[in-house]
Amino acid sequence: MRSTMKLAVPVLAAALALSACGTKGGDGAAPAASGGGPAACDLKIGMFGALTGPNANLGIYIQNGVNLALDDYNAKHADCKVALENYDSQGDPTQAPGLAKKAIDDKKVVGIVGPAFSGESKAADPLFNEAGLVTITPSATNPKLADNGWKTFFRALGNDATQGPAAAKYIKDTLKATKPFVIDDASEYGKGLADIVRKDLADAVVGNDTIQQKQTDFSASVTKVKASGADTLFFGGYSPEAAPLIKQLRDAGWKGTFVVADGVKDQSYIDNAKAAAEGTIITCPCVPADVAPDFQKAYKAKYNQDPNTYSGEGYDAATILLDGIAAGKNRASMVDFVKSYDKKGVTKQLKFDAKGESADIHVFAYKVEGGKIVSAGEIK
């Protein structure tokens, strides 16, 4: 997975070559904001997310994208390279404030890719905002994160206020479900998303339940789902709980459709749920690998696999920060640089609204078929 990249990709190379020329698609000089001028040669960007622990795969997928962006940038700035500093949160919100302080205290860090999860974002982002350190999350989707007035918060994907309605629409219009059941994991991400789905499905919902992260016995939930006569189950949560949940449901004879979201879009879900994972529908505001073929080719050359969940978004978030460094921005001036950024990335047009939300949003459906997660098209 970590072999040296053996081929160059012209499109990605050209995109990064243009990064020093401005933020409007490379059509002008770098903005004359404070901190502009020649790029400093001892700067870092940070990667904040789970790199170990039960949710490590999602963090590693993002980190792979970030590292690919750094490879491309440093190959063209060999005399002025940027380093990566990793902040392994294990997806645990209680660790987030301490890691945020560590990043803030390192004055060479001019921007953060992450935090990767909504719970840790809620815990760490107030500190980043106070310190003026830019964060661009490629994966934290709780809508309320953008409602705190944080000037340093940016999100490189759609939030759950778009993913939730898309999931509900898919359940109603594509699956034609008439008796949906909804379960959440009580997390900042899972409950927030499930509540939106509940609201959109309205009176059609035949039952609700809440489980806890790290729970392993779901017999009570299985009983409730079966007793309700549910034909579809939406679960708001992560893969470590989704796998045993669906396995226990299938073992109990439940035949309905299991619908989950981006927190479960991970090979570990299939590895742990095995045959029970077949047919699972997964929604995600992340683009399929083949939407960006040049990025897909470069990623596969480096890691010997296709880009996975939020790899492209990690690449894009890192590229924005690297473009800022190329334009001579420091920590103080990076906020305004990101705020005015408007350039095509590998996943979408990279532009933010006044709240730091992505201005270009798409939600896709995926399905588990033959032990693999395959694209089922955009939900429109």
Side-chain angles (χ1 to χ4, degrees):
M1 287 179 61
R2 301 184 182 278
S3 61
T4 302
M5 185 173 173
K6 295 184 175 61
L7 60 88
V9 180
V11 172
L12 293 181
L16 282 171
L18 289 171
S19 67
C21 299
T23 60
K24 302 293 182 182
D27 58 357
S34 61
C41 293
D42 58 351
L43 298 180
K44 306 175 186 176
I45 61 173
M47 159 57 199
F48 194 119
L51 299 174
T52 59
N55 291 305
N57 277 357
L58 286 172
I60 291 170
Y61 299 150
I62 295 168
Q63 185 193 48
N64 287 348
V66 172
N67 278 325
L68 185 57
L70 277 165
D71 286 351
D72 291 343
Y73 180 89
N74 286 333
K76 292 166 180 59
H77 301 82
D79 57 344
C80 193
K81 293 184 177 181
V82 175
L84 178 66
E85 193 71 35
N86 289 310
Y87 300 97
D88 179 11
S89 66
Q90 297 186 323
D92 182 356
T94 65
Q95 295 192 36
L99 290 172
K101 187 177 185 305
K102 184 177 179 182
I104 290 164
D105 288 345
D106 186 345
K107 300 306 179 185
K108 293 183 179 180
V109 175
V110 297
I112 299 288
V113 176
F117 297 91
S118 294
E120 66 189 23
S121 295
K122 182 180 179 181
D125 281 347
L127 301 177
F128 288 131
N129 183 64
E130 184 179 355
L133 180 55
V134 166
T135 66
I136 307 176
T137 181
S139 53
T141 53
N142 188 294
K144 294 180 181 178
L145 294 174
D147 295 334
N148 294 287
W150 298 326
K151 295 180 180 178
T152 55
F153 172 84
F154 298 91
R155 183 168 10 220
L157 73 164
N159 64 35
D160 289 335
T162 55
Q163 182 177 197
K169 178 179 175 61
Y170 196 92
I171 289 169
K172 290 185 291 187
D173 296 349
T174 302
L175 298 180
K176 307 294 184 184
T178 58
K179 295 183 177 181
F181 196 105
V182 182
I183 297 178
D184 69 77
D185 69 349
S187 71
E188 193 75 17
Y189 158 74
K191 185 179 187 307
L193 177 58
D195 282 348
I196 293 170
V197 173
R198 288 179 175 114
K199 180 180 178 182
D200 276 49
L201 291 176
D203 294 341
V205 176
V206 295
N208 291 285
D209 199 15
T210 296
I211 58 97
Q212 301 297 318
Q213 289 184 289
K214 300 183 180 179
Q215 184 174 331
T216 57
D217 180 1
F218 299 101
S219 55
S221 296
V222 169
T223 298
K224 292 176 184 178
V225 172
K226 290 194 68 181
S228 73
D231 56 7
T232 303
L233 169 60
F234 178 83
F235 173 63
Y238 295 101
S239 57
E241 290 72 43
L245 173 60
I246 189 56
K247 194 170 188 305
Q248 290 171 40
L249 278 162
R250 296 303 187 211
D251 288 345
W254 186 67
K255 304 294 186 183
T257 303
F258 193 43
V259 182
V260 295
D262 53 320
V264 185
K265 189 175 176 289
D266 178 11
Q267 184 61 37
S268 68
Y269 165 65
I270 299 172
D271 293 343
N272 292 325
K274 298 184 168 42
E278 281 294 304
T280 298
I281 300 298
I282 306 172
T283 65
C284 187
C286 54
V287 301
D290 57 6
V291 168
D294 294 302
F295 173 72
Q296 180 184 23
K297 187 176 181 181
Y299 189 99
K300 194 162 188 175
K302 183 174 177 65
Y303 299 111
N304 197 31
Q305 60 177 307
D306 282 331
N308 216 308
T309 310
Y310 296 133
S311 297
E313 286 77 8
Y315 181 95
D316 279 345
T319 296
I320 294 170
L321 297 175
L322 292 168
D323 281 1
I325 291 172
K329 305 304 174 185
N330 55 27
R331 182 183 291 189
S333 57
M334 189 67 79
V335 176
D336 286 339
F337 179 87
V338 176
K339 188 182 298 183
S340 63
Y341 199 89
D342 187 0
K343 181 177 174 181
K344 186 171 178 57
V346 299
T347 64
K348 61 181 69 69
Q349 187 71 21
L350 303 177
K351 183 179 180 181
F352 304 99
D353 67 16
K355 294 172 64 176
E357 296 279 21
S358 173
D360 187 12
I361 298 170
H362 304 272
V363 181
F364 295 85
Y366 297 82
K367 187 175 184 179
V368 177
E369 288 184 347
K372 295 182 179 180
I373 298 172
V374 300
S375 175
E378 185 174 356
I379 304 173
K380 296 182 179 179

